[in-house]
Amino acid sequence: MSKPVEDAGTGVAPGTQANGDQLLRQKAIKQLELRRRFHMDLAVWTMVLLLVTAVWAITEFNNAGGWPTEGFSESSSIPHVWNMWILYPLIGWAFYVGVRAWKTYLQKPISEREIEREMERQAGPR
């Protein structure tokens, strides 16, 4: 006989036995909240990066005296060569979004079988 799972993130009070529909509903609500939070963070970070990119472009245009006709470089103040530091926050943002997307959409909830296996492992040999 398996015991009901009491998940701290589901809103089910400890010691209360919830029926399967209530537990499933709470998990669905939690997943929807994660997705909403992810979408809001994605929108905010996209707007911030667009602002930072605009500031970078304006600054580089003024510092280099025009568009990057000579390419990009790590150094500054070369005529018509833009500094490419903008790549670092963009790469960091892409990594952050990837991790959050994985956590939101691909990470599966812990199953009862995994819980029982971990409990057996921690109990050790008897």
Side-chain angles (χ1 to χ4, degrees):
M1 182 171 148
S2 67
K3 298 177 184 176
V5 178
E6 293 174 359
D7 188 353
T10 62
V12 176
T16 307
Q17 185 168 356
N19 68 28
D21 290 340
Q22 288 174 327
L23 188 58
L24 187 59
R25 177 180 168 79
Q26 292 300 325
K27 285 183 179 183
I29 290 170
K30 183 179 176 184
Q31 183 63 30
L32 289 170
E33 288 172 349
L34 277 174
R35 288 182 183 179
R36 282 185 177 177
R37 195 172 321 128
F38 172 73
H39 291 140
M40 181 58 75
D41 286 351
L42 183 64
V44 168
W45 274 100
T46 300
M47 287 186 279
V48 167
L49 278 174
L50 286 173
L51 177 66
V52 169
T53 302
V55 168
W56 168 77
I58 292 167
T59 304
E60 288 300 317
F61 184 86
N62 289 328
N63 287 343
W67 295 108
T69 56
E70 307 272 334
F72 295 90
S73 172
E74 286 290 325
S75 57
S76 297
S77 301
I78 301 172
H80 301 288
V81 175
W82 285 19
N83 189 325
M84 56 186 217
W85 66 263
I86 193 68
L87 293 176
Y88 302 119
L90 291 175
I91 290 169
W93 177 79
F95 179 75
Y96 169 78
V97 167
V99 169
R100 287 288 307 275
W102 174 78
K103 183 177 179 183
T104 302
Y105 290 102
L106 300 176
Q107 190 176 26
K108 294 183 174 47
I110 298 171
S111 69
E112 182 64 30
R113 185 176 189 179
E114 289 175 303
I115 294 170
E116 289 173 3
R117 188 174 32 219
E118 181 62 18
M119 288 171 56
E120 290 172 5
R121 188 192 67 78
Q122 288 184 10
R126 293 186 183 204

